């Protein structure tokens, strides 16, 4: 083991390679600041690869009167859609209605209705849902996404998979997002603007030395340690935010984090259209059932208290059963454990606002600035994937007094790598790629453009036939694509490729994934580093 001490002082050191950390690194680098980021595992390794994959305003948050959060998220949907039309796209949501729908617990809205309309006994009336959707349509100044409409489920394809008791539904708009790719593309753009992105690098300690932070890093693969000096430190460690404060930084803080586990199940495809269902339960909870990766349906999420950040979240048998039972209240054909092909869970690091339940805890972000004495520390609590860009702007606003030389806000509408084409240009770009590389299947061309946008052609290069793309690992994954991810997207293992930068692990065998891992380690000049990550 060796240790070096850097002589160059950087401006901002970011702990955490999730969406908040990478978003802040990109924003700061684009303002001319010298930035480094360290992630102890792979980018988007934890919470940021385990979301419900939606850019949405959070319709149910209106019941908690979180108007500012919802409005900001609604405005952001279209801002983000313009910057990343390859990895994000509009989706229509079908909300079936029946009179037994109830509020979840004691929301502010339910308390008011129980007072003025006690005969409702906790039920959500149709007029209240329609009012919420009216606000949803108008709070964010919607320009691209279509407005809410009403469906007669007895006469539409959306009603076919549902039980006959559901005759009416509301249909509204939100957006899909490839969450892991969003993180990777933010990291790439940060790097292109001068930031240094270090994956598999643990921050062992950080301490103030006058007006600087001395940050001690350890490369998880080589064991080499290094000290970096920074004028400011950002703690965007997600579920580990409190552990970083008390352990890594050895500081006292009264601020707490509430770890809430959200679990999802993936089943074989349950319906034939491309719209999402928004289901409300008799217990007041809500779940989504979403078309996923062509052949599957994604169902989630739960809200359960989670113990320690280091305890890897898993979808428990009870959570899986709950989601199956919840969905079966709507679908004609019951959803059973036998239908599940994969599960995943993520931990939301919510700011501990003292709420009684995990569901009621605020989803808004909270940024706290500790000014020392000495160099400043900014801690990031909570946040939604939809508002990551606004969170980054708010973080830089907090830090502006320490960096008067930093540039102004700049990220709104600026394309991420591969996203430099019109919102309605996806089909045209896909057709162009298919014409240029006729050996691709139509589905293969579509998948590449969805993942890489205009950079798909850079991956394919001068290839004239499939064999020119190198090894075929299965499910359309080729050596050329994996090499791109290794060279440009920080991928080092098969798990990085098939469970984060793509979800092709759903369509590959364990033997294929093992062969991919062997090939990647050989390309890196290493023996196979670790057992292949299993599904989930």
């Amino acid at each position: 083991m060796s240790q070096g001490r850097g002589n160059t002082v950087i401006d901002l050191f970011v702990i955490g390679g999730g969406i908040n950390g990478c978003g802040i690194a990109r924003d700061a680098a684009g303002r001319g600041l010298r930035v480094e980021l360290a992630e102890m595992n792979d980018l988007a390794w934890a919470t940021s690869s385990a979301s419900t994959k939606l850019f949405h305003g959070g319709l149910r948050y209106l019941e908690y009167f979180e108007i500012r959060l919802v409005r900001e998220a609604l405005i952001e949907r279209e801002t983000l859609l313009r910057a990343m039309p390859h990895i994000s796209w509009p989706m229509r949501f079908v909300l079936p209605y029946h009179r037994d729908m109830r509020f979840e617990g004691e929301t502010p809205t339910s308390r008011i209705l129980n007072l003025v309309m006690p005969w409702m006994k906790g039920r959500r009336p149709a007029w209240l849902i329609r009012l919420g959707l009216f606000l949803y349509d108008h709070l964010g100044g919607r320009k691209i996404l279509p407005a809410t409409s009403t469906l007669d489920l007895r006469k539409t394809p959306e009603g076919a998979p549902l039980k006959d008791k559901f005759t009416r539904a509301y249909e509204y708009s939100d957006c899909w997002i490839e969450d892991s790719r969003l993180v990777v593309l933010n990291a790439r753009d940060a790097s292109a603007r001068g930031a240094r992105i270090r994956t598999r690098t643990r921050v062992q300690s950080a301490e103030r030395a006058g007006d600087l932070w001395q940050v001690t890093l350890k490369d998880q693969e080589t064991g080499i340690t290094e000290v970096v000096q920074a004028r400011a430190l950002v703690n965007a460690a997600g579920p580990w935010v409190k552990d970083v404060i008390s352990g890594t930084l050895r500081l006292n803080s009264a601020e707490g984090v509430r770890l809430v586990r959200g679990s999802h199940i993936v089943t074989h495809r349950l319906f034939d259209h491309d719209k999402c269902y928004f289901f409300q339960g008799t217990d007041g909870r809500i779940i989504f059932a979403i078309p996923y990766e062509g052949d599957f349906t994604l169902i989630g999420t739960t809200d359960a208290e989670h113990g320690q950040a280091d305890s890897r979240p898993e979808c428990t048998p009870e959570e899986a059963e709950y989601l199956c039972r919840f969905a079966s209240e709507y679908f004609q054909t019951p959803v059973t454990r036998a239908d599940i092909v994969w599960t995943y869970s993520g931990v939301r690091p919510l700011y501990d606002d003292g709420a009684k339940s995990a569901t009621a805890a605020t989803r808004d972000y909270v940024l706290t600035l500790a000014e020392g004495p000495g160099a400043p520390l900014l801690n990031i609590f909570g946040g939604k994937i939809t508002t990551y860009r606004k969170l980054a702007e708010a973080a830089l606003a907090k830090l502006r007094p320490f960096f008067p030389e930093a540039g102004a806000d700049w990220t709104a509408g600026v394309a991420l790598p591969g996203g430099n084409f019109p919102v309605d240009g996806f089909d045209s770009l896909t057709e162009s790629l298919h014409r240029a590389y006729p050996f691709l299947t139509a589905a293969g061309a579509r998948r590449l453009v969805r993942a890489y946008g205009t950079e798909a052609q850079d991956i394919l290069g001068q290839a004239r036939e499939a064999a020119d793309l190198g090894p075929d690992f299965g499910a359309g994954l080729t050596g050329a694509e994996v090499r791109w991810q290794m060279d440009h997207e920080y991928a080092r293992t098969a798990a990085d490729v098939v469970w984060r930068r793509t979800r092709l692990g759903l369509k590959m065998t364990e033997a294929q994934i093992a062969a991919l891992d062997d090939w990647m380690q050989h390309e890196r000049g290493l023996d196979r580093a670790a057992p292949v990550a299993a599904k989930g």
Side-chain angles (χ1 to χ4, degrees):
M1 181 183 298
S2 63
Q3 177 167 312
R5 178 173 296 272
N7 294 319
T8 301
V9 176
I10 65 167
D11 295 314
L12 199 63
F13 194 95
V14 181
I15 303 175
I19 187 53
N20 289 337
C22 290
I24 290 170
R26 179 197 183 216
D27 190 316
R31 296 172 190 255
L33 299 182
R34 294 162 296 178
V35 180
E36 289 198 19
L37 177 149
E39 162 58 45
M40 63 181 177
N41 291 297
D42 182 30
L43 296 174
W45 181 79
T47 305
S48 294
S49 60
S51 76
T52 311
K53 327 298 183 193
L54 299 177
F55 275 156
H56 67 126
L59 181 60
R60 73 180 181 87
Y61 303 151
L62 290 174
E63 291 184 359
Y64 294 91
F65 298 158
E66 296 214 41
I67 304 299
R68 187 210 62 78
L69 174 64
V70 175
R71 183 175 184 275
E72 182 175 88
L74 289 173
I75 294 171
E76 275 297 280
R77 292 179 310 177
E78 297 196 3
T79 300
L80 297 173
L81 186 61
R82 291 186 178 94
M84 52 195 80
H86 48 333
I87 61 170
S88 181
W89 56 91
M91 184 175 281
R92 293 291 277 174
F93 287 68
V94 177
L95 193 165
Y97 176 77
H98 66 91
R99 67 183 304 275
D100 294 329
M101 291 172 177
R102 295 183 175 275
F103 291 100
E104 194 278 332
E106 288 289 316
T107 71
T109 302
S110 71
R111 287 195 292 269
I112 292 172
L113 279 189
N114 286 339
L115 180 65
V116 301
M117 301 175 65
W119 60 88
M120 292 300 295
K121 297 180 180 179
R123 292 196 299 269
R124 282 188 180 104
W127 65 262
L128 182 67
I129 294 174
R130 194 64 187 87
L131 174 61
L133 288 168
F134 176 83
L135 292 173
Y136 209 69
D137 277 347
H138 294 89
L139 275 176
R142 176 182 46 81
K143 296 178 181 178
I144 299 175
L145 302 175
T148 297
S149 60
T150 302
L151 295 178
D152 183 345
L153 294 176
R154 297 166 297 186
K155 301 176 181 179
T156 61
E158 296 83 0
L162 303 180
K163 291 180 178 179
D164 292 341
K165 72 175 183 178
F166 299 104
T167 61
R168 178 172 44 145
Y170 303 108
E171 183 179 298
Y172 69 95
S173 293
D174 267 320
C175 297
W176 178 263
I177 178 61
E178 296 287 354
D179 53 3
S180 301
R181 295 210 57 76
L182 175 65
V183 178
V184 168
L185 295 183
N186 269 272
R188 281 192 56 205
D189 202 48
S191 177
R193 298 174 189 277
R196 182 176 182 183
I197 307 297
R198 302 171 181 248
T199 62
R200 269 82 176 187
T201 301
R202 181 179 289 275
V203 177
Q204 289 190 306
S205 66
E207 58 186 8
R208 288 186 173 102
D211 293 334
L212 297 176
W213 282 97
Q214 303 280 1
V215 185
T216 302
L217 308 173
K218 181 178 180 180
D219 187 299
Q220 302 281 69
E221 294 182 332
T222 66
I224 295 173
T225 62
E226 181 181 351
V227 175
V228 173
Q229 300 179 95
R231 294 168 60 194
L233 186 67
V234 173
N235 174 13
W240 292 270
V241 60
K242 183 67 174 177
D243 294 347
V244 167
I245 295 172
S246 58
T248 308
L249 308 182
R250 298 187 295 278
L251 298 175
N252 294 321
S253 173
E255 293 153 338
V257 64
R258 190 167 191 166
L259 301 182
V260 177
R261 184 176 65 253
S263 293
H264 303 75
I265 60 175
V266 176
T267 70
H268 296 291
R269 189 178 178 115
L270 300 178
F271 47 90
D272 293 330
H273 57 79
D274 61 358
K275 296 178 182 178
C276 166
Y277 288 107
F278 179 116
F279 292 154
Q280 303 177 86
T282 55
D283 62 353
R285 291 272 302 127
I286 66 100
I287 63 170
F288 297 102
I290 312 173
Y292 190 57
E293 297 295 323
D295 300 322
F296 307 98
T297 299
L298 171 64
I299 299 174
T301 179
T302 60
D303 271 323
E305 301 287 353
H306 191 74
Q308 300 297 317
D310 284 334
S311 176
R312 187 74 166 151
E314 294 182 354
C315 180
T316 66
E318 293 77 16
E319 287 176 305
E321 182 61 35
Y322 171 81
L323 291 172
C324 288
R325 187 171 62 250
F326 198 143
S328 296
E329 293 175 3
Y330 282 82
F331 289 120
Q332 285 191 27
T333 303
V335 181
T336 70
R337 298 282 294 278
D339 295 313
I340 298 174
V341 298
W342 185 45
T343 67
Y344 69 88
S345 295
V347 176
R348 308 180 191 99
L350 306 181
Y351 187 77
D352 191 354
D353 60 355
K356 291 182 179 179
S357 71
T359 303
T362 182
R363 265 54 177 175
D364 209 346
Y365 53 80
V366 176
L367 313 181
T368 64
L369 183 65
E371 299 185 41
L377 164 68
L378 183 66
N379 295 306
I380 313 295
F381 294 89
K384 288 161 43 68
I385 196 167
T386 313
T387 53
Y388 87 90
R389 192 192 66 82
K390 294 297 290 184
L391 183 153
E393 285 187 342
L396 270 296
K398 286 269 191 182
L399 293 168
R400 177 169 289 281
F402 307 96
F403 301 105
E405 74 277 17
D409 294 350
W410 65 274
T411 56
V414 176
L416 288 173
N420 52 327
F421 63 97
V423 170
D424 60 357
F426 174 80
D427 289 338
S428 175
L429 187 60
T430 301
E431 291 166 6
S432 175
L433 189 74
H434 199 198
R435 285 195 303 270
Y437 301 93
F439 58 85
L440 292 175
T441 64
R446 183 177 181 84
R447 184 186 72 80
L448 289 173
V449 174
R450 271 289 172 233
Y452 306 102
T454 56
E455 292 186 325
Q457 189 159 352
D458 297 329
I459 295 172
L460 299 174
Q462 300 301 312
R464 291 294 173 261
E465 57 184 23
D468 295 335
L469 299 177
D472 180 353
F473 298 107
L477 183 67
T478 66
E481 183 176 354
V482 176
R483 170 54 63 190
W484 175 270
Q485 293 188 12
M486 294 173 70
D487 290 346
H488 300 277
E489 297 188 350
Y490 308 95
R492 296 190 187 179
T493 71
D496 299 347
V497 173
V498 305
W499 295 117
R500 283 179 287 278
R501 286 149 190 79
T502 74
R503 296 293 193 273
L504 292 176
L506 285 167
K507 302 179 181 182
M508 296 172 68
T509 66
E510 290 187 8
Q512 288 173 324
I513 297 174
L516 167 62
D517 203 61
D518 284 340
W519 184 84
M520 290 178 68
Q521 303 318 317
H522 175 75
E523 290 294 297
R524 296 181 61 213
L526 304 171
D527 292 326
R528 187 156 156 200
V532 175
K535 291 182 179 180

